[in-house]
Amino acid sequence: MSQVWNFSAGPAALPREVLERAQRELLDWDGSGMSIMEQSHRGKRFIAMAERVEDDVRALADIPGDYAVLFLQGGATQHFAQIPMNLAAPGASADYIINGHWGAKAAREAAPYVNVHVAADSNHDGYRGLPARDTWQLDPHAAYVHLTTNETIHGIEWPSIPDTGAVPLVADMSSDIFSQPLDVRRFGLIYAGAQKNIGPSGLVLMIVRRDLLDRPTRPLAHILHYADHAAANSMLNTPNTWGWYVAGLTFQWMRAQGGLTAIAERNRAKAQRLYAAIDGSGGYYRNDVEPTARSRMNVRFGVHDAALDPVFVAEAEAAGLIALKGHKALGGLRASLYNAVPLAAVDALVAFMQDFRTRHG
Ligand SMILES: *Cc1c(COP(=O)(O)O)cnc(C)c1O
């Protein structure tokens, strides 16, 4: 099998141009005669690269100077716990908006370090919709409000970012970061595991308003303290040098694609095409998410007869359409349409869906 269409939820498809460039540079990066993975992060070449990557991501997402950009490790999950350590003093509380699996996990992991107040939860409908902003029970004294902008497993995305007033908004954007333009100023802190829209796993991108780094909280080991990471330009200890490099190639690729506005248009077209195929199938395929909450990144769907879902997955894989099995918690099917997934992949999937229906319908 020479090339497949990869619909994996993460680690996920990377742009082919990025992979080809990494391949070309693998044995001799930047004229050094060595691969990027063999270089010291304290070396001139690596430091210059890190500066270029930061310039590129700032230009890409229009990140203001009073926000720090950090390249961390531990996955988004570690930061579920580390964010309250850094932003909440002992005894403080934080508001959590829960509209799916990851938001619930963020609240659970934060609980040892902050009084978690669930300000809204849409679990009553099995996370098929979003908790309307006017139902949130926000605490004006909360240390922060935590929101998951896209729920990867449930296929739910906020169509716009709700207003949280003066309380800093902390957003887990792991699965929709840089899929559309964003107004960084609306947020106190944005974080994302890299393995969906940015690069390889093992890297976390964080964009944080600098004043939040100085909050008096509790004694923290340096390695857990974001302010120390910022002061050390994310090189407090050995960073994920490979991940940082590939992320940089992806930021350059996104800029060459026309930036976030152009990327957003493509993402909208991709999602529309797939949802139209589901909705236009006369009930053969179904998607239970409220239309206004449907994710552009992760399309959850299923065959009307759930017994056919595994058949669909196996036949799709044989046809070169990979990783369409839904998350184990929910079953069914899921197609992830991150930035690196081209429209041609969606066309191939839609054609396969029609063919499958003809054969099994
Ligand atoms: C994938 C994902 C995570 C978990 O990321 P790890 O890097 O595996 O810790 C957290 N939040 C969201 C929204 C995700 O999609």
Side-chain angles (χ1 to χ4, degrees):
M1 193 172 283
S2 56
Q3 207 203 329
V4 297
W5 298 123
N6 180 7
F7 298 96
S8 173
L14 286 166
R16 195 168 176 88
E17 295 90 328
V18 166
L19 294 172
E20 283 169 352
R21 173 140 176 224
Q23 182 184 44
R24 279 198 306 279
E25 297 179 348
L26 188 65
L27 298 183
D28 179 10
W29 174 68
D30 200 27
S32 66
M34 299 186 286
S35 84
I36 178 81
M37 286 175 280
E38 301 166 292
Q39 316 264 335
S40 168
H41 59 295
R42 308 282 179 211
K44 271 206 297 277
R45 279 196 169 85
F46 189 87
I47 290 172
M49 182 211 72
E51 285 167 1
R52 279 198 304 276
V53 176
E54 180 165 340
D55 289 347
D56 274 324
V57 73
R58 283 187 182 279
L60 176 73
D62 202 10
I63 300 172
D66 55 332
Y67 284 73
V69 177
L70 305 180
F71 293 84
L72 305 172
Q73 303 186 57
T77 306
Q78 182 174 312
H79 297 277
F80 291 165
Q82 214 173 320
I83 285 166
M85 291 180 196
N86 279 269
L87 298 191
S93 78
D95 286 340
Y96 277 73
I97 312 302
I98 301 181
N99 43 271
H101 171 95
W102 291 112
K105 194 160 176 187
R108 204 161 61 234
E109 294 297 301
Y113 308 103
V114 68
N115 294 318
V116 167
H117 171 238
V118 177
D121 190 332
S122 55
N123 193 19
H124 54 86
D125 67 356
Y127 297 125
R128 277 197 285 272
L130 292 161
R133 173 65 185 84
D134 59 11
T135 65
W136 296 10
Q137 307 282 319
L138 288 183
D139 169 7
H141 303 295
Y144 58 87
V145 182
H146 185 279
L147 181 75
T148 311
T149 52
N150 181 73
E151 279 288 354
T152 321
I153 293 175
H154 287 88
I156 286 180
E157 185 177 23
W158 285 91
S160 61
I161 300 302
D163 185 33
T164 53
V167 179
L169 180 57
V170 170
D172 176 3
M173 284 196 190
S174 292
S175 53
D176 68 348
I177 193 164
F178 304 152
S179 65
Q180 59 188 351
L182 76 163
D183 181 357
V184 172
R185 289 206 181 279
R186 299 279 314 276
F187 301 89
L189 186 155
I190 293 166
Y191 66 112
Q195 68 271 22
K196 280 115 188 194
N197 254 339
I198 294 177
S201 58
L203 179 76
V204 170
L205 181 74
M206 183 172 286
I207 303 168
V208 53
R209 219 174 62 211
R210 291 186 201 275
D211 64 291
L212 295 176
L213 297 175
D214 299 325
R215 281 193 168 180
T217 53
R218 71 196 79 213
L220 281 179
H222 296 295
I223 196 65
L224 297 174
H225 200 193
Y226 295 144
D228 289 323
H229 284 277
N233 297 319
S234 305
M235 295 191 209
L236 202 54
N237 66 328
T238 314
N240 176 350
T241 54
W242 169 255
W244 200 331
Y245 157 75
V246 178
L249 297 185
T250 309
F251 298 148
Q252 282 182 15
W253 176 82
M254 290 189 228
R255 294 188 71 190
Q257 296 292 302
L260 300 184
T261 305
I263 284 172
E265 272 167 36
R266 288 216 325 247
N267 285 333
R268 198 157 300 283
K270 281 151 50 185
Q272 255 164 18
R273 205 164 286 188
L274 183 49
Y275 283 118
I278 295 165
D279 295 341
S281 69
Y284 190 81
Y285 298 105
R286 52 178 177 72
N287 165 283
D288 297 338
V289 176
E290 269 175 35
T292 54
R294 284 173 161 184
S295 169
R296 297 161 306 126
M297 296 284 103
N298 311 98
V299 179
R300 219 179 106 194
F301 67 112
V303 184
H304 68 93
D305 172 5
L308 284 172
D309 287 337
V311 182
F312 184 99
V313 171
E315 289 189 10
E317 191 167 321
L321 304 162
I322 303 302
L324 288 163
K325 189 167 186 269
H327 189 271
K328 60 183 184 312
L330 297 175
L333 307 169
R334 174 176 54 172
S336 295
L337 310 180
Y338 300 124
N339 289 348
V341 175
L343 192 57
V346 179
D347 285 339
L349 174 57
V350 167
F352 175 81
M353 288 165 70
Q354 280 155 1
D355 176 56
F356 185 87
R357 181 179 163 197
T358 308
R359 288 182 293 107
H360 295 276

